[in-house]
Amino acid sequence: MGTYTNKRLLVTGGAGFIGSELVRQLVEDGAHVTVLDNLTAGHRRNLEALPADGYRLVVADIRDLERVDALMPGIDAVFHLACRGVRHSIHSPVENHGVNATGTLGLLKSARAADVPRFVYVSTSEVYGSAPQVPMSEDNLALPTTVYGASKLAGECYTRAFHRTYDYPTVVVRPFNSYGPRSHHEGDSGEVIPKFMLRSMAGLPMVVFGDGSQTRDFTFVADTARGILAAGASDAAVGETINVGSGKEITVAELAATVSKVVGGGDATIEHVEQRPGDVLRLKADVSRATALLGWAPTVPLADGLSQLRDWYLQGGSSPEDLLAEEKVRNWELV
Ligand SMILES: Cc1cn([C@H]2C[C@H](O)[C@@H](COP(=O)(O)OP(=O)(O)O[C@H]3O[C@H](CO)[C@@H](O)[C@H](O)[C@H]3O)O2)c(=O)[nH]c1=O
């Protein structure tokens, strides 16, 4: 018996990149999963390999509270991952807030009304803004520089307020940049690794925004999902805010060199374009709280995770050129 065997879970954004890995691990554990996803950033294909009796996909928006209310009765925990990302926030800030902040508030209200015994809000390291000092602990000030980071922080605040105000058992998890199979190279989720890898596999230069000195803490998606699930299962996590990251930082320029090596392309070829507006300059997680409270630690080193992603692309049947054409990776207007 696993932690989630026979449990009934609601996963919003479960057809997305991190969400589908979470659903995969839950189904493997023998859980019954309802995925709520409007397929804006998620894809049906992310769930297709799973046994059909392990999950059901409800295609609806988290802001549709009638649909949401109907899904809550009998649920043991909500994992809330549905959101719109950085790029969306740049051109549609009000809608970004509507989904990420107001959407979260509606879910909290609905879950509490149905007495769902646990609510896990999957936030983001973007809420910190750029780190004045690293590693970044959960006690660092959250001063987002992106509209996305601001709307996700608002969602966090509602989640913590539900715990304080109503004694409702919530937990906030802050994943750092995740990568791995099923990551999207176009859309809302973290894109630099898929884009670097696909372009490098296609023999095209990798496009670096700014001078490439900005850093990120890249975490393999299976590690991220394990951390989120551990937070949902731990009583010690209730009311807490918990980082999930690798605890290591790498510059975007170094990442380009590493990807090139993994792909077998020798020295990285790089093209520079302008820095993205509001871009976070530095991220590196302090994960000691996750280790202390959840017994969680990252297990997959970057080079291994990148190799797994490369193999996933190679086994996918499409050539990198097809993927590039299909998803218009060459289109850089909308960063
Ligand atoms: C796509 C792309 C990005 N970059 C740069 C921009 C950033 O400085 C850095 C990482 O960019 P992204 O991969 O888009 O990820 P980032 O902005 O950190 O945000 C991601 O990571 C966050 C977690 O910290 C998630 O919450 C967001 O949903 C996700 O989009 O790489 C490049 O230099 N070249 C590129 O082609």
Side-chain angles (χ1 to χ4, degrees):
M1 290 275 281
T3 313
Y4 288 100
T5 308
N6 291 327
K7 297 280 190 214
R8 293 162 58 90
L9 294 324
L10 177 65
V11 181
T12 74
F17 164 47
I18 299 176
S20 60
E21 173 60 23
L22 194 89
V23 174
R24 193 192 66 72
Q25 293 188 15
L26 283 169
V27 169
E28 202 171 85
D29 211 21
H32 307 288
V33 184
T34 299
V35 173
L36 174 61
D37 200 304
N38 67 2
L39 302 181
T40 304
H43 299 280
R44 278 177 203 278
R45 66 169 184 266
N46 286 343
L47 299 168
E48 269 162 10
L50 298 177
D53 57 353
Y55 77 98
R56 71 175 168 134
L57 171 62
V58 176
V59 180
D61 196 293
I62 57 165
R63 293 167 292 177
D64 182 347
L65 289 180
E66 238 170 76
R67 297 292 295 277
V68 167
D69 285 346
L71 297 175
M72 288 293 177
I75 292 291
D76 293 304
V78 173
F79 291 95
H80 172 35
L81 293 90
C83 71
R84 297 305 308 269
V86 179
R87 181 154 60 177
H88 176 263
S89 78
I90 295 172
H91 58 77
S92 303
V94 175
E95 199 198 3
N96 198 262
H97 180 90
V99 176
N100 297 357
T102 314
T104 298
L105 181 58
L107 280 169
L108 282 161
K109 182 169 174 278
S110 179
R112 176 174 171 260
D115 284 328
V116 174
R118 188 64 54 92
F119 188 100
V120 182
Y121 177 62
V122 180
S123 182
T124 165
S125 55
E126 288 269 326
V127 299
Y128 289 113
S130 294
Q133 72 212 33
V134 295
M136 300 153 88
S137 102
E138 296 84 348
D139 298 329
N140 275 27
L141 277 182
L143 295 170
T145 57
T146 57
V147 172
Y148 164 74
S151 66
K152 289 293 287 184
L153 181 58
E156 276 197 13
C157 292
Y158 285 129
T159 305
R160 280 187 292 266
F162 263 60
H163 176 60
R164 296 284 168 81
T165 307
Y166 306 116
D167 201 22
Y168 182 61
T170 66
V171 49
V172 172
V173 180
R174 288 180 179 159
F176 282 61
N177 292 56
S178 296
Y179 71 98
R182 293 183 298 281
S183 53
H184 310 307
H185 45 283
E186 173 92 296
D188 278 349
S189 62
E191 295 161 4
V192 67
I193 286 183
K195 277 188 174 160
F196 276 8
M197 187 160 279
L198 284 170
R199 287 183 67 90
S200 177
M201 286 165 86
L204 293 166
M206 292 174 259
V207 180
V208 170
F209 300 169
D211 65 3
S213 63
Q214 68 271 42
T215 71
R216 290 294 186 273
D217 175 322
F218 291 106
T219 316
F220 192 64
V221 66
D223 280 337
T224 306
R226 247 186 340 99
I228 296 167
L229 291 179
S234 153
D235 289 339
V238 171
E240 295 284 349
T241 300
I242 305 173
N243 284 343
V244 167
S246 73
K248 297 197 163 62
E249 81 182 317
I250 180 171
T251 66
V252 166
E254 286 161 353
L255 175 70
T258 310
V259 167
S260 192
K261 217 179 283 166
V262 167
V263 167
D267 286 346
T269 41
I270 288 175
E271 227 172 80
H272 287 272
V273 298
E274 258 176 56
Q275 191 161 19
R276 191 165 54 189
D279 198 25
V280 167
L281 300 179
R282 189 162 192 205
L283 286 174
K284 178 187 178 186
D286 175 343
V287 291
S288 51
R289 186 176 292 174
T291 304
L293 291 181
L294 312 175
W296 176 90
T299 59
V300 183
L302 184 62
D304 292 0
L306 291 175
S307 304
Q308 289 191 46
L309 179 59
R310 175 203 58 207
D311 294 346
W312 181 73
Y313 281 131
L314 292 174
Q315 285 153 17
S318 303
S319 72
E321 288 84 352
D322 289 345
L323 283 164
L324 283 164
E326 184 194 317
E327 303 275 354
K328 302 187 195 72
V329 172
R330 287 193 187 83
N331 174 0
W332 300 103
E333 290 105 15
L334 284 175
V335 295

